[in-house]
Amino acid sequence: MTPPPIRISSSAQPLAAIDADWLVVGVSSDGPPDPAVAELDRQLGGQIARLREAGDVTGKHPELVSLLSVRGISARRMLLVGLGPVARYSRSVFDAAGAAALRSITGRKFSRVAVAIPPLPAPADSAAAVLGLSVGAVQGCYGPGLRKSEPARHAPDEIALVGDPAPAESLVNRVRVEGNAVALARELVNLPPCDLYPETFAARALESVDRIHCEVWDEARLTAERMGAILGVARGAARPPRLLIMRYSNAGTSPVLALVGKGVTFDSGGLSLKTNEQMADMKGDMAGAAAVLAAIRAAAELELSVNLLGIMPLVENMPGSRALKLGDVLTARNGKTIEVLNTDAEGRLILADALAYAAEQKPGHIVDLATLTGSCMVALGTEIAGLMTNDDPWGDRVRAAITRAGERAWPLPMDADFEELLKSQVADWKNVPPSKYGGAIAAGKFLQQFVGGVPWVHLDIAGPAWAEHEGPARDSGGTGAFVRSLIELAATQSAE
């Protein structure tokens, strides 16, 4: 099912001496070329300079110009990719450039692709360039067509990272691990729901690398553990629910970072049934769980000095004869009762049990990720996650890691009046407020009732987790959103 991993290597050879089917070279839209590219152009007889003078190469991000017949260098073909203005260089810019470049050439099978890493003044900038271009390039090799009879994309056997000096082996290893982790999350989100459901999702975790301990709770265990909200959402589905728990411990007695991911493997809306259009991409309603699974596997492969607890409630939300009805009351693990007034607000219900369990383990911090509300997309668009927290310093740390990883989140207020909207007359809480306004914040305030005061961040990733349309640097479907951010957060915890 999963394609074989791409071999990632590094080299300090001059660009003109690199033997590859394709040599990918980034060019800025302003400023002179870096010395390595200038020397490459000299070997090409000034071909790049002439293309610039003619306006055929502008360096606009992420412009692509293919040179299929090159002389004077060892590579058989060359691809120039625009990086935009130097002042705006960032990991996200490099990531999009790398993805666009490989998307454009992997319609055919090639053995070796070399990617030139531009020299940058600061080591942190250089690491961002390596990670951005390379992890982006790996993503450009894989599309959403997991069940096509003939593949539309052909990953090369090797991607060589070329720089002066060559990227350090530790950084190359992170590229390898992080690229595979994002690809895994994308694969899980893109799999059809007939193939990926609670039992099969949990089975993928059992393929984990060494040092990860996995538990899978079935219906009997969920009942014994008082997971009433998870069991309630799952009642209408023929596929039984699961709770997946992953533990990675490599930092002695250091506090645990708990990662909780929403895992609705298909969301019909239940009796609050979605329309066909709204339901079409609901196989991706487990993107939060996919990100957590992929990130914990990556942390273990990188042998980060961190203690991680991953909790993923896995359900299908279906309108079966036993499905939740409006007005039903569920009892969550922490004893709080919830009046269900919309069965399509199911993600917060399963997260209630998962967060309550996480808080019981007394972690130092919690982060949950969920494709939770359309309201968040109305507020922030499709590229930015909503960030909600009960602890501003922890929220700032999480957001800083997200920014370093080249992803985007924006804080939303967590004022007390939103909590008042969720108080029920017949139970402790209701799962939706009476007003359609501020829905993302209301959902965050609901989740806050189950974290027990532990410093916590909720990321509403409904927009970034799924791309409706493809673009130069992105395929439609699952994006692997926030896998990079979770790895960066874990690496930051490891460095402390």
Side-chain angles (χ1 to χ4, degrees):
M1 182 180 294
T2 305
I6 303 166
R7 187 165 67 254
I8 308 293
S9 64
S10 67
S11 174
Q13 282 185 289
L15 296 180
I18 292 294
D19 182 21
D21 297 295
W22 282 95
L23 173 62
V24 178
V25 177
V27 292
S28 71
S29 61
D30 58 2
D34 68 65
V37 176
E39 174 57 25
L40 173 68
D41 196 28
R42 191 183 70 78
Q43 298 287 339
L44 290 166
Q47 188 173 5
I48 298 175
R50 289 194 298 273
L51 289 169
R52 273 197 181 276
E53 291 170 5
D56 295 320
V57 171
T58 68
K60 181 179 178 181
H61 182 259
E63 172 190 75
L64 299 172
V65 178
S66 300
L67 306 179
L68 300 179
S69 178
V70 289
R71 297 180 180 180
I73 67 173
S74 296
R76 286 165 284 290
R77 304 166 191 83
M78 193 163 72
L79 180 65
L80 303 177
V81 55
L83 300 177
V86 174
R88 296 184 183 177
Y89 279 6
S90 66
R91 181 165 175 186
S92 60
V93 165
F94 294 129
D95 185 271
L102 270 291
R103 283 190 82 241
S104 73
I105 63 178
T106 48
R108 289 177 54 195
K109 177 68 175 177
F110 295 103
S111 177
R112 191 173 197 243
V113 174
V115 178
I117 307 298
L120 295 169
D125 294 337
S126 295
V130 173
L131 287 169
L133 281 167
S134 308
V135 175
V138 171
Q139 303 319 305
C141 297
Y142 302 119
L146 302 176
R147 293 293 180 265
K148 286 184 176 289
S149 57
E150 295 292 334
R153 205 74 57 79
H154 303 270
D157 299 322
E158 178 183 0
I159 294 177
L161 313 179
V162 186
D164 185 16
E169 179 54 37
S170 60
L171 197 54
V172 172
N173 187 50
R174 179 161 169 179
V175 167
R176 183 183 303 115
V177 171
E178 198 160 309
N180 290 339
V182 178
L184 170 62
R186 290 179 59 207
E187 177 198 348
L188 291 171
V189 173
N190 286 327
L191 280 171
C194 58
D195 291 339
L196 191 79
Y197 43 90
E199 292 166 287
T200 55
F201 186 107
R204 291 298 294 268
L206 301 179
E207 304 169 3
S208 295
V209 296
D210 293 339
R211 302 186 66 93
I212 296 177
H213 174 73
C214 290
E215 293 180 55
V216 180
W217 292 3
D218 61 11
E219 284 181 286
R221 181 71 183 272
L222 289 168
T223 301
E225 296 285 351
R226 310 182 316 281
M227 297 288 187
I230 293 174
L231 289 164
V233 172
R235 274 195 334 228
R239 306 276 192 190
R242 294 290 183 265
L243 183 73
L244 171 61
I245 302 171
M246 300 176 70
R247 290 183 172 88
Y248 166 71
S249 300
N250 195 33
T253 58
S254 297
V256 170
L257 170 59
L259 305 176
V260 180
K262 173 186 171 183
V264 180
T265 59
F266 187 78
D267 181 18
S268 70
L271 293 184
S272 303
L273 195 65
K274 295 177 183 287
T275 66
N276 187 75
E277 181 178 317
Q278 293 169 332
M279 211 184 299
D281 58 5
M282 283 299 104
K283 67 179 183 179
D285 209 17
M286 34 57 68
V292 170
L293 169 60
I296 291 180
R297 288 184 59 163
E301 289 185 60
L302 293 169
E303 299 183 354
L304 297 179
S305 299
V306 65
N307 296 326
L308 298 176
L309 169 64
I311 303 171
M312 289 142 277
L314 305 169
V315 300
E316 288 184 337
N317 185 25
M318 299 294 288
S321 61
R322 299 176 59 244
L324 276 178
K325 298 175 289 294
L326 273 63
D328 279 353
V329 174
L330 303 175
T331 303
R333 179 178 173 87
N334 66 352
K336 299 294 185 182
T337 55
I338 307 163
E339 182 185 14
V340 178
L341 297 178
N342 187 329
T343 65
D344 196 22
E346 83 299 329
R348 66 199 71 183
L349 296 175
I350 66 171
L351 287 173
D353 277 342
L355 288 169
Y357 177 78
E360 288 174 19
Q361 310 310 302
K362 302 189 184 307
H365 299 89
I366 300 174
V367 176
D368 83 70
L369 302 92
T371 48
L372 207 62
T373 69
S375 296
C376 201
M377 290 190 281
V378 173
L380 298 176
T382 59
E383 301 298 322
I384 304 174
L387 185 153
M388 287 149 269
T389 184
N390 64 352
D391 185 278
D392 288 337
W394 175 234
D396 292 343
R397 288 176 61 187
V398 172
R399 190 175 173 217
I402 290 169
T403 300
R404 288 193 303 273
E407 299 187 279
R408 299 162 71 187
W410 192 257
L412 296 176
M414 290 284 277
D415 297 342
D417 52 333
F418 286 95
E419 189 172 299
E420 291 298 317
L421 297 173
L422 293 167
K423 291 183 177 178
S424 167
Q425 293 183 333
V426 300
D428 295 319
W429 302 102
K430 49 191 174 186
N431 73 327
V432 290
S435 170
K436 65 181 179 180
Y437 301 112
I441 301 170
K445 292 300 289 185
F446 177 87
L447 296 179
Q448 187 178 348
Q449 312 312 313
F450 301 89
V451 299
V454 177
W456 154 80
V457 160
H458 162 57
L459 293 171
D460 190 330
I461 63 172
W466 183 271
E468 288 191 8
H469 308 289
E470 68 175 30
R474 176 179 287 180
D475 286 289
S476 60
T479 64
F482 291 91
V483 173
R484 294 176 292 164
S485 295
L486 293 182
I487 296 172
E488 179 63 27
L489 183 62
T492 301
Q493 299 281 99
S494 177
E496 293 180 352

